[in-house]
Amino acid sequence: MPDPVLTLLKYLFLAVLYLFFMRVLRAVWVELREPKPAPLAPAPGPVPSSSNQPDARSAHPSPGERGPERLVVVAPADHKGSEFALSDEVTVGRAGGCGVLLADDTFVSQLHARVFRRDGDIYVEDLGSTNGTYLNKKKVTAPVVVHKGDKIQFGRTTLEVRK
Amino acid sequence: MTRAPARRRTELGLIFLVVILTGGLYALAGFGKAGDLPADMGPFLGIIFALLLVGHVAMRRLAPNADPILLPTAGLLNGIGYVFIARLSTHEARLQAVWTAVGMAAFVATLALVRRARDLERYRYTFAFLGIGLLLLPLVPGVGENINGARLWVHLGSLNFQPGEIAKLALAVFFSSALVERADLLSKATRRVGRFLVLDPRYLAPILAAWGLSLVIFLAENDLGSSFLFFALFIGLLWVSTGRTYYLGLGAGLFAIGSYLALNVIGHAQSRVQAWLNPWAHPSTSGYQIIQGEFAIAAGGLFGEGPGQSNASHIPEASTDLIFAVIADELGLMGAAAMLFAYLLMVGTGLRIAVRCERQFEKLLATGLSLILGVQTFVIVGGVTRLIPLTGVTLPFVSYGGSSLVANYILLAVLLRISHDTETPRPTDQIPELYGTGAASL
């Protein structure tokens, strides 16, 4: 095969090689544009801690108050949108003194769980409830860190962590 | 879930392109070298297509939601590497073909065996002992073998193997799981020394022990490239798991001390550095390889001399350490840049998989595996282009060498497994619906 043809074919090879990368980049681009399938845990790092939060007890439900983090009811439908502010520590349950008072949900124990802050992270801990506490559909057996967008289920009530 | 078929379709399309590219390059190299089509053109095309198809079918069955670009990109690198090995030595090419098949088998086996990446976390000490055992193996008399001043090889009968390649992966698993367990302890200073709060060294001890031991082994085996890779992996994972930048400073300091010691203790290291700083001091002995590599890269120019048309085969270790110089010679800057582009894409994809992970262990493991790929490429390409001293590590997927190829295919399979885990929506039926499904009032 004459040299010029070989040289031409070499250019053709390099062109197709870069075409391959164009296709790859396009595939990456298509994926980046798509919404993520599952809620992502934010990168590990200190969450800015906040100290002067409004008293959580007065926050049931009080749409006016916007703390840095809130617990928002997403299910059941008739309580959807109710909000609870997160202070340094709130208890969850059906008993009167609970910061997150879920008095109507009979599947919630009197003192069901607590949500607290430590070193800038927010944790949820089950306090020996009858029906359990679930973080993103996984049973909470020890204090676990919750992030923005996580869903916590107490009894039949599901709350989402929002900022 | 609707993304799975789309991803696999993308993958298949890219695989077709890879087959066309590799086949075309093989034909071009044949014309360039012998003036005729290679005699085994048909079987060659059939075999690479079959191998990639096996990988693709395994992906469809075992990890349908995983990333679509990693397998074709690795296949492309593997294919281009094979063409250049075949162009340099028919004997090595035959072995490399067998190893490619073994590598693909290892890829499928890994995907089939590791059904969830998180399961690896439980076997952390198994992996630690496996890794260190594999590292020690070449030092065992009768089994180990010295090749080119480095004691890295194990021979069983006529089969030579470099267990260090697999050890890297095992230790990456161990580091990731051990660091996940201790990340909190390692990111907060608790011990007071003078005016400063420093980390409590107790928590670091098991990791430091593993790291120190493997570093000593690497140095005893004279494998400088791998010890650097290992060190970078360790520091990188510490940094990522704790989010503390001072680990990078600590790493730089330790690296400086280590290189100072290595330079004064290991003659091998000293000659490597001299050949790097001034190869022209001994142009026909210690500097010969680097000088020939540089000539080859320079001769390539922008578009290269054409596949099979250069006289690159006289470069020492052309098919392993200096294969990047051969590629730069025959495909020029454009071809060499394309290779680097492929590595960048693979490392970038690996890190993207890590970012999307929800669990720390998978996140760290994906980061570690991407680091292995990236640092190894940097060490060898940097060495060939004289950015850093040349040490003999392989160019992933491209260089001639069975152990490296198999290890890299396993690495790829683990990355894809993590990607599949992350992209698969978690089953929502883990909790029994408490009482019916109705929207009863609270």
Side-chain angles (χ1 to χ4, degrees), chain A residues 28-111:
Chain A
V28 174
W29 175 241
V30 166
E31 304 231 327
L32 285 180
R33 258 187 344 191
E34 277 181 28
K36 287 163 186 173
L40 281 183
V47 178
S49 64
S50 45
S51 49
N52 49 354
Q53 293 241 329
D55 183 12
R57 288 179 197 187
S58 64
H60 178 211
S62 61
E65 269 175 355
R66 295 282 154 116
E69 280 107 4
R70 298 163 290 141
L71 283 173
V72 183
V73 176
V74 292
D78 46 353
H79 281 259
K80 199 167 178 170
S82 302
E83 291 186 2
F84 303 94
L86 276 180
S87 62
D88 282 348
E89 175 165 346
V90 289
T91 46
V92 182
R94 278 199 296 148
C98 289
V100 177
L101 184 59
L102 305 172
D104 302 344
D105 188 343
T106 49
F107 301 105
V108 171
S109 298
Q110 290 292 328
L111 185 57

Side-chain angles (χ1 to χ4, degrees), chain A residues 13, chain B residues 21-31 36-41 44-45 82-83 86-87:
Chain A
F13 169 79
Chain B
L21 276 168
T22 315
L25 186 64
Y26 195 53
L28 266 180
F31 274 116
D36 205 354
L37 262 183
D40 54 355
M41 192 64 212
F44 173 79
L45 273 177
Y82 177 82
V83 171
R87 175 241 172 287

Side-chain angles (χ1 to χ4, degrees), chain B residues 248-335:
Chain B
L248 292 182
L250 182 78
L254 281 175
F255 179 70
I257 298 168
S259 2
Y260 180 78
L261 287 178
L263 273 183
N264 285 302
V265 176
I266 306 172
H268 188 59
Q270 216 163 18
S271 68
R272 287 292 172 95
V273 170
Q274 274 162 4
W276 164 55
L277 290 175
N278 185 11
W280 290 100
H282 304 282
S284 55
T285 54
S286 62
Y288 183 74
Q289 192 184 21
I290 289 185
I291 290 172
Q292 295 307 313
E294 297 227 295
F295 275 140
I297 295 171
L302 196 54
F303 292 101
E305 296 187 74
Q309 289 177 296
S310 77
N311 57 351
S313 43
H314 69 281
I315 304 176
E317 310 295 335
S319 61
T320 54
D321 296 353
L322 264 80
I323 196 155
F324 187 75
V326 179
I327 293 172
D329 190 353
E330 306 205 333
L331 290 176
L333 178 67
M334 298 302 284

Side-chain angles (χ1 to χ4, degrees), chain A residues 75-79 156, chain B residues 435-442:
Chain A
D78 46 353
H79 281 259
R156 292 167 96 180
Chain B
Y435 291 89
T437 52
S441 63
L442 275 182

Side-chain angles (χ1 to χ4, degrees), chain B residues 22-195:
Chain B
T22 315
L25 186 64
Y26 195 53
L28 266 180
F31 274 116
K33 198 178 169 196
D36 205 354
L37 262 183
D40 54 355
M41 192 64 212
F44 173 79
L45 273 177
I47 288 171
I48 50 168
F49 187 53
L51 280 176
L52 283 169
L53 211 58
V54 166
H56 175 70
V57 171
M59 292 285 291
R60 270 186 192 261
R61 301 200 64 121
L62 298 167
N65 295 327
D67 182 272
I69 71 157
L70 280 177
L71 180 64
T73 312
L76 177 74
L77 288 170
N78 195 177
I80 291 180
Y82 177 82
V83 171
F84 279 97
I85 293 164
R87 175 241 172 287
L88 292 164
S89 155
T90 338
H91 169 68
E92 287 182 349
R94 212 166 290 139
L95 285 171
Q96 183 79 349
V98 174
W99 280 115
T100 306
V102 175
M104 197 50 90
F107 175 82
V108 177
T110 310
L111 276 182
L113 283 174
V114 186
R115 300 312 289 260
R116 290 190 314 179
R118 72 181 66 165
D119 291 343
L120 295 173
E121 194 176 0
R122 283 190 287 151
Y123 302 108
R124 72 181 69 141
Y125 289 105
T126 313
F127 278 110
F129 286 118
L130 181 75
I132 294 189
L134 283 171
L135 283 178
L136 280 170
L137 211 53
L139 295 176
V140 178
V143 182
E145 197 179 358
N146 259 339
I147 294 181
N148 296 330
R151 197 176 173 100
L152 299 172
W153 296 81
V154 164
H155 58 93
L156 298 165
S158 59
L159 194 72
N160 282 328
F161 200 73
Q162 233 174 312
E165 299 281 351
I166 305 283
K168 283 171 208 161
L169 303 184
L171 288 166
V173 174
F174 168 65
F175 282 166
S176 309
S177 62
L179 284 172
V180 165
E181 201 185 29
R182 295 178 176 80
D184 289 344
L185 297 172
L186 289 172
S187 58
K188 290 191 177 91
T190 46
R191 175 73 65 88
R192 187 171 287 278
V193 173
R195 287 173 49 226

